[in-house]
Every structure is written in C-alpha cells, then in structure tokens.
Amino acid sequence: MPELPDVEGFRRVLADHATGRRIKGVSVFDRGVLRGVSASRLAQALTGASLGKPWRHGKWLVVPVAGGKPSLILHFGMTGGLFWVTVGNRHRHDRFVLHFDNGDLSYRDMRKLQGLWLAAPDRVLAGTGPDALELPRDDLRGVLGGQKRQIKAALVDQSVLAGLGNLLADEILWRARIHPRQVCAELDNSDFARLHARMGTVLKQSIKDGRVPARKSWLTGRRDEESGSCPRCGTVLKHGRVNGRGTVWCPRCQGENA
C-alpha cells in the first residue's frame, strides 16, 4: 500500500519528467478512477496545458495546472502508482495516461480504490491532518496527546496525521519502544520526543528508497517471516490486530500489553 515515501517517489517522477511540459493528449482507459470529473472534461482541461511544480501532503499528490485551472489531485489507494514510460505497450492496469512529446505519464492501479480529482486542493484535502514529515516536534503532542485511543489507531488515521500507513506506524512504534495499543493520553513528554525523532528517521530513510525498505535491520524486513524475530533483541515478534489492522510488535522491546 503506497504510504508517504512512495508518494514522495511518485512526486519526483512527475517533477523530473513532466513539470513545465505541455500535455499533448489524455487517454482515460478506465473511468472508475475519475472522481467528480468526466473523461471529456479532464481531457479538455489538460490537453495543451502544462503542469506546475507538484507537491505532496500525506498520501495525496497535488499537481497545479497552468492557466489558473483546477489542480490535478491524485491518491493511490492500496495499489496505485505513477510511472514514466518512453517505450513499450500499455500496461493492463493503466487507468489514465498523460501524453507528452518525450513520453507518457501513466497512473496504474489494480484495485481502483482511489483515483484522481480535478479540483481546488483545499476542497479535496479538507479534513486531512498535518503532514507527518512536516509536523514540528512540539506539535506532535498537541495532535495526539489528548486522545483516549490507541496510538497505532491514531497514527494511521489520516484526519489526525497524514501520510502514515500500516508499515510505517509499526516501524516507528517499534523504534520508539511504544506498544501499538498504548493509549495516547498515557504517553509522556519523553515518549512523544522519542516518537517524533524515530518518525523523522524512518520517513527520511524510507524516502531515499521511495518505499518502506524491507531490510533485516528493520521490523519491516522481519514482519512477514513465519517466526520473525526482533532485529534489536531477537525475541519472536507478536502479531495481532489494532483497530482492524494487522499489527506487529516486539513483546520485549514494546511490552506485552499497553
């Protein structure tokens, strides 16, 4: 599932290949990914236009369109991605493609749980929490501290904090030595300081890879092993569900129960 680092990678793809270039044409192969816009209106708005500098907020990618037109806004759901293609046939999961002189920008998505909007960012992103990468340390407790819910559930709630998904939340909590079922309101200042520091480290390292890396020194690299062990202490990892999501933690480093 694309999380903040993946979307940052998609932003770089668009910035490197399509920013400032004129769109020659638009192909919509599946209208199921269009949100609040028809295929004809999308093509009319984008054909002949050029794209501005893209920016990311959480798992959202916003692409300004020159000429004061509404922005192209993308969300990649669980299986979406953005790819630059110069040669080759269309992929079977291409849902729409922007055509340029030197190549094509393709939105691919197997499950089509999200898609694209042509709208003002403030309207589409309303209700989304602050970006996890940009949130200052002093603000993290303000966002999470008063909540009487489990920390894992709060971290993956996009209205609370934007950008974190299952893999990132588990990785960050493991590094911060906080149990995923720990109640937010019970965390102290040192917990929040540690949580913010580890969140920054995990996000910055993941962005370099364009994804959450499955390294053996990371929880992510051990979580899918049948008898996966903690990379830090060697204890067999625990698996359970928090707020309906599959969750992995170390019972020694993070405690048996919160």
Side-chain angles (χ1 to χ4, degrees), residues 68-114:
K69 297 179 180 180
S71 295
L72 180 65
I73 304 173
L74 306 171
H75 194 293
F76 302 92
M78 294 186 66
T79 57
L82 203 58
F83 300 88
W84 180 253
V85 181
T86 55
V87 294
N89 296 324
R90 182 172 71 85
H91 191 278
R92 66 192 182 98
H93 292 143
D94 284 348
R95 305 305 178 185
F96 79 91
V97 175
L98 301 182
H99 303 287
F100 298 85
D101 285 331
N102 60 332
D104 294 338
L105 189 68
S106 174
Y107 177 94
R108 294 177 186 167
D109 193 356
M110 181 175 66
R111 297 185 63 182
K112 303 183 293 181
L113 296 180
Q114 293 285 348

Side-chain angles (χ1 to χ4, degrees), residues 7-75:
V7 179
E8 183 63 23
F10 302 150
R11 186 199 65 77
R12 291 197 295 255
V13 168
L14 201 153
D16 291 345
H17 296 288
T19 297
R21 297 186 181 275
R22 188 177 67 85
I23 300 170
K24 290 179 59 179
V26 179
S27 294
V28 177
F29 300 111
D30 191 330
R31 299 183 183 189
V33 299
L34 303 183
R35 301 290 187 263
V37 61
S38 66
S40 59
R41 178 169 174 254
L42 183 71
Q44 182 180 25
L46 297 183
T47 301
S50 60
L51 302 179
K53 184 178 180 180
W55 52 276
R56 180 198 53 75
H57 184 87
K59 300 180 184 182
W60 294 91
L61 183 60
V62 180
V63 191
V65 180
K69 297 179 180 180
S71 295
L72 180 65
I73 304 173
L74 306 171
H75 194 293

Side-chain angles (χ1 to χ4, degrees), residues 92-243:
R92 66 192 182 98
H93 292 143
D94 284 348
R95 305 305 178 185
F96 79 91
V97 175
L98 301 182
H99 303 287
F100 298 85
D101 285 331
N102 60 332
D104 294 338
L105 189 68
S106 174
Y107 177 94
R108 294 177 186 167
D109 193 356
M110 181 175 66
R111 297 185 63 182
K112 303 183 293 181
L113 296 180
Q114 293 285 348
L116 72 103
W117 289 252
L118 192 67
D122 288 350
R123 180 172 69 82
V124 178
L125 273 62
T128 304
D131 184 82
L133 184 63
E134 303 298 330
L135 186 69
R137 183 183 67 180
D138 292 343
D139 292 348
L140 183 62
R141 180 158 194 168
V143 169
L144 299 174
Q147 299 204 28
K148 297 182 179 180
R149 63 195 299 199
Q150 296 170 339
I151 183 66
K152 166 73 180 282
L155 287 177
V156 299
D157 184 340
Q158 301 304 295
S159 69
V160 174
L161 191 63
L164 304 185
N166 224 32
L167 294 181
L168 284 173
D170 283 356
E171 184 71 36
I172 292 164
L173 290 171
W174 170 73
R175 291 185 180 224
R177 297 176 182 264
I178 297 172
H179 195 285
R181 294 195 178 106
Q182 179 73 46
V183 175
C184 294
E186 296 175 354
L187 298 174
D188 59 25
N189 287 335
S190 63
D191 292 325
F192 281 110
R194 198 167 62 253
L195 181 65
H196 187 272
R198 302 303 178 265
M199 182 168 68
T201 298
V202 168
L203 288 175
K204 289 172 185 176
Q205 291 180 355
S206 297
I207 284 172
K208 289 180 181 179
D209 286 14
R211 58 174 297 177
V212 185
R215 299 172 187 160
K216 292 298 184 182
S217 60
W218 287 45
L219 183 74
T220 311
R222 306 288 185 94
R223 62 181 295 139
D224 293 330
E225 297 175 0
E226 187 173 343
S227 298
S229 59
C230 174
R232 185 164 45 216
C233 72
T235 301
V236 176
L237 297 170
K238 289 275 192 177
H239 294 74
R241 300 194 75 78
V242 175
N243 199 39

